[in-house]
Amino acid sequence: MAPFLGSGDSRSSPWWMEADALRSASRGLATAVEPFDVVVIGGGMGGYVAAIKAAQLGFRTACIEKRGVLGGTCLNVGCIPSKAMLNNSHIYHQAQHDFARRGIDATVSLNLPKMLEAKVNIVTGLTKGVELLFRQNKVEYIKGSASFISPTRLSISPILEAPEDTPTEIEAKNIVIATGSEVSPFPGGAITIDEKQIVSSTGALELKEVPKKLVMGSVWSRLGAEVTVVEFLGAIGGAGIDEEQGLKFKLNTKVLSAEKKDGKLEADVVLVAVGRRPYTEGLNLEAAGVELDNRGRVVIDDQFTTSQKNIKSVGDVTFGPCIAAAEFLKTGHGHVNYAAIPSVVYTHPEVAWGLKYKIGKFSFAANSRAKTNLDTEGFDPGVHISDQCGRDDCGGVLAVEYGASAEDVARTTHAHPTLSEAFKEAAMAAYSKPSIYVLDRAGISFPSPLVRHI
């Protein structure tokens, strides 16, 4: 479920300010006599979707969020702002290094404050859009932090931005824990993150100038930084990620510490990206009888139910994708096909993958659309490795969902010329012979006479 984006030109009309007028006059807050049907703790991607869906299914619903804005890590300091920076840095890099061969003569310069401002505007529009969705679906938005008093009662500590009538305690028949995750500290505490020179993924999106040398970070490489990636394992997490993109790699290398002084690996900024951990601080889960596993994750069953039957949990605070919790509350059942959930690494080219598969490869150097775009990096191995696989892998996911074979995909007509044809050709190579369009290692391709141009 995507955030509501609104219509019109948001650059000239801040629609979310006008949307404030839609707040219901009969807002009302639950009392001890009038408990909510569902209360969701956390307004991130798992939480706000669960809250809206619960309201649409007829439950009287509230969502508690202490950040002061909805959307959680993803919309505020994760997926969305990072993709804004990835896209805009890619355009800048393309203008510097690729325009000339396309017949475009231009001189460009980086305006980093404006690029950061664009990122903020995108985030603001999306988070305000989620607030509007709450109002339209009659989800009570409570600005504060929650703590369990019992399995059905919560204590609320309002934040400064909260309305004066924010309740300090609420009762709920069902509660969904969706508090997400936080940046994992460096093991042993040998590196202290200050979000200025030693940064997490959050601080990496807020640097005020392009560092000359940076440990980790493809965005800043495109903007001119010399980037070195230090990895304990012997490989980076995705095919197609290599030094051709200008990144230097130190694999099979263990980082022991980082100090702000001369060292073996010099850098102006160090990005510490050792993972994330479940966030349960202050929830007082013991009072609710909610169990955690040895990694601090909320323990759930296949219906997202915790050790307390009226409390469910979704998202990064537990394990598994956060899907269908509201449906379980309403009907007692829901459908989640874990085999059809894709994963994407947003490098360039992008990488997407899913379950185990038989490999059939097709190079984008032999794809007509990729050639016309002058963007032939990567290949399609049945999963996607392309500049748009985060958008285009839906065909593969749909095939998995409906049990289609590689032959089914290969026998499906794809529009020409499109990048999706590479997926068809890779599927053909997986069950039959390699594509007829590749004549040699140079990847010469010809348009198929069997596919109509669109």
Side-chain angles (χ1 to χ4, degrees), residues 144-375:
S145 56
S147 179
F148 281 96
I149 298 173
S150 74
T152 60
R153 193 161 187 82
L154 294 166
S155 171
I156 308 296
S157 298
I159 60 175
L160 291 176
E161 298 88 348
E164 292 184 1
D165 60 351
T166 299
T168 56
E169 287 188 14
I170 58 173
E171 191 85 15
K173 299 174 185 176
N174 299 282
I175 297 174
V176 179
I177 301 171
T179 47
S181 61
E182 63 179 350
V183 172
S184 294
F186 191 83
I191 298 178
T192 301
I193 296 174
D194 60 15
E195 300 295 17
K196 293 180 180 179
Q197 282 187 284
I198 301 178
V199 300
S200 68
S201 56
T202 300
L205 296 172
E206 299 291 340
L207 298 179
K208 302 305 180 186
E209 61 182 19
V210 180
K212 293 181 180 179
K213 292 185 177 182
L214 172 69
V215 178
M216 307 285 265
S218 62
V219 164
W220 298 102
S221 173
R222 294 172 184 169
L223 297 180
E226 181 184 320
V227 175
T228 302
V229 178
V230 183
E231 171 57 50
F232 179 73
L233 300 177
I236 300 299
I241 306 174
D242 53 42
E243 296 193 23
E244 291 182 6
Q245 300 179 42
L247 307 181
K248 297 179 180 179
F249 292 92
K250 289 185 176 292
L251 304 179
N252 297 307
T253 302
K254 184 177 182 179
V255 176
L256 299 177
S257 65
E259 299 179 13
K260 297 180 182 180
K261 65 179 183 179
D262 294 339
K264 293 184 178 180
L265 178 60
E266 296 181 355
D268 300 292
V269 175
V270 174
L271 166 59
V272 180
V274 294
R276 299 183 67 84
R277 65 182 181 183
Y279 184 77
T280 58
E281 181 180 344
L283 287 179
N284 193 27
L285 295 177
E286 298 84 358
V290 174
E291 296 179 7
L292 301 178
D293 67 8
N294 58 4
R295 296 175 60 182
R297 301 176 299 183
V298 175
V299 177
I300 58 173
D301 62 15
D302 60 358
Q303 296 187 357
F304 304 96
T305 305
T306 69
S307 49
Q308 282 291 338
K309 64 179 182 179
N310 71 305
I311 301 176
K312 294 186 181 293
S313 184
V314 298
D316 288 350
V317 74
T318 184
F319 37 82
C322 50
I323 303 171
E327 283 89 343
F328 279 112
L329 288 173
K330 181 69 174 181
T331 66
H333 58 82
H335 170 71
V336 182
N337 184 356
Y338 290 102
I341 298 176
S343 299
V344 181
V345 176
Y346 292 94
T347 52
H348 183 80
E350 294 176 355
V351 183
W353 70 94
L355 70 170
K356 293 182 179 179
Y357 56 90
K358 182 177 180 181
I359 296 176
K361 294 183 179 180
F362 185 79
S363 172
F364 277 97
N367 177 267
S368 298
R369 185 60 182 271
K371 280 195 166 185
T372 59
N373 291 347
L374 294 180
D375 194 0

Side-chain angles (χ1 to χ4, degrees), residues 75-91:
L75 260 65
N76 289 279
V77 295
C79 313
I80 299 304
S82 67
K83 302 313 170 290
M85 293 295 288
L86 278 168
N87 183 64
N88 291 339
S89 65
H90 175 66
I91 293 172

Side-chain angles (χ1 to χ4, degrees), residues 102-119:
R102 298 174 184 272
I104 303 173
D105 294 327
T107 301
V108 297
S109 60
L110 175 65
N111 185 337
L112 184 57
K114 194 69 177 179
M115 185 178 287
L116 294 174
E117 180 185 341
K119 176 202 67 175

Side-chain angles (χ1 to χ4, degrees), residues 19 130 304 414:
V130 178
F304 304 96
H414 291 60

